[in-house]
Amino acid sequence: MSSLYEKSKRLVTTVLFDNVVEYLYLLRGVSQLLCDPARAFNRSPLIFFAAAAVSDYYIPREKMSREKISGGDGLTIHLENVPKVLGVLQDDWLHRSVDLPPAFTVTFKLETNEETMHQKAQKNLNSYRCGAVVANMLQTYKEKVWVYLLTDVGKEPFLLTKGEHTIEFAMCDLFISLVSK
């Protein structure tokens, strides 16, 4: 049997970006476009994969050097935290009218410590009320992921492992089956 992913992959759109500011701008634009009630595709179920932390830190444009930085005694760079937008994404940008199924938002949590990963994934699920949080370890991110579902708060997460297909393939099958119910 052909997978749900194979049947649906022509509907998947990838959005490319070069920096954090561009990512945030495109994230808002694409999410609002996908939820625009005037668009024909708005009636379809929507799975929105929010990229894992593009970066935790950045240099705001107004603080970037306008001149070449000369060599010398070394360099100290002050970075600022990237604004947290998952709450705005979930509550405002991906808002659909009440007669349509809500957008199913999938977010990601990558860590190097398994206990920390589970705690932060659960915290993100509770804080942002996304449809799912995919949690993985830097050391094994290509082999296994834990999937926390908003509908299963308090339950053990799904563990997806690489088998015949990729992890991404298995995740897409899981999420498509959930929104197709």
Side-chain angles (χ1 to χ4, degrees):
M1 180 178 128
S2 170
S3 80
L4 294 171
Y5 170 74
E6 287 295 328
K7 292 177 183 176
S8 303
K9 71 180 178 182
R10 67 179 177 74
L11 301 172
V12 173
T13 300
T14 302
V15 178
L16 303 176
F17 54 89
D18 290 321
N19 57 58
V20 171
V21 173
E22 191 175 296
Y23 169 72
L24 295 173
Y25 177 79
L26 291 169
L27 179 65
R28 184 187 71 192
V30 168
S31 58
Q32 289 176 334
L33 176 70
L34 289 171
C35 293
D36 181 352
R39 308 280 177 183
F41 53 75
N42 188 339
R43 297 237 164 279
S44 301
L46 171 62
I47 303 173
F48 194 93
F49 291 91
V54 175
S55 176
D56 290 326
Y57 304 99
Y58 80 120
I59 301 172
R61 185 173 304 278
E62 64 273 6
K63 292 188 177 180
M64 288 183 184
S65 175
R66 298 193 197 299
E67 305 290 327
K68 179 188 176 291
I69 300 171
S70 297
D73 277 343
L75 178 66
T76 301
I77 299 175
H78 177 77
L79 301 173
E80 294 194 17
N81 291 326
V82 170
K84 303 286 184 195
V85 296
L86 284 179
V88 174
L89 173 73
Q90 188 66 10
D91 296 339
D92 297 332
W93 299 347
L94 286 174
H95 181 74
R96 297 177 101 186
S97 63
V98 293
D99 60 324
L100 296 173
F104 187 90
T105 309
V106 179
T107 64
F108 295 84
K109 178 50 67 183
L110 174 73
E111 293 293 335
T112 55
N113 177 284
E114 190 170 328
E115 184 178 336
T116 301
M117 176 203 66
H118 288 297
Q119 290 170 354
K120 288 185 175 184
Q122 192 66 54
K123 180 181 178 205
N124 280 9
L125 190 67
N126 294 329
S127 297
Y128 301 116
R129 312 292 298 157
C130 296
V133 175
V134 175
N136 53 1
M137 298 289 295
L138 181 60
Q139 303 89 322
T140 59
Y141 73 96
K142 290 185 179 184
E143 283 85 43
K144 63 183 174 181
V145 298
W146 289 264
V147 179
Y148 290 82
L149 298 174
L150 185 59
T151 56
D152 292 344
V153 170
K155 293 184 181 176
E156 288 295 312
F158 285 94
L159 176 62
L160 298 178
T161 56
K162 182 178 178 182
E164 184 179 325
H165 299 289
T166 65
I167 294 289
E168 295 82 3
F169 196 101
M171 285 190 306
C172 286
D173 271 6
L174 171 65
F175 299 134
I176 292 168
S177 69
L178 289 171
V179 300
S180 299
K181 289 182 181 179

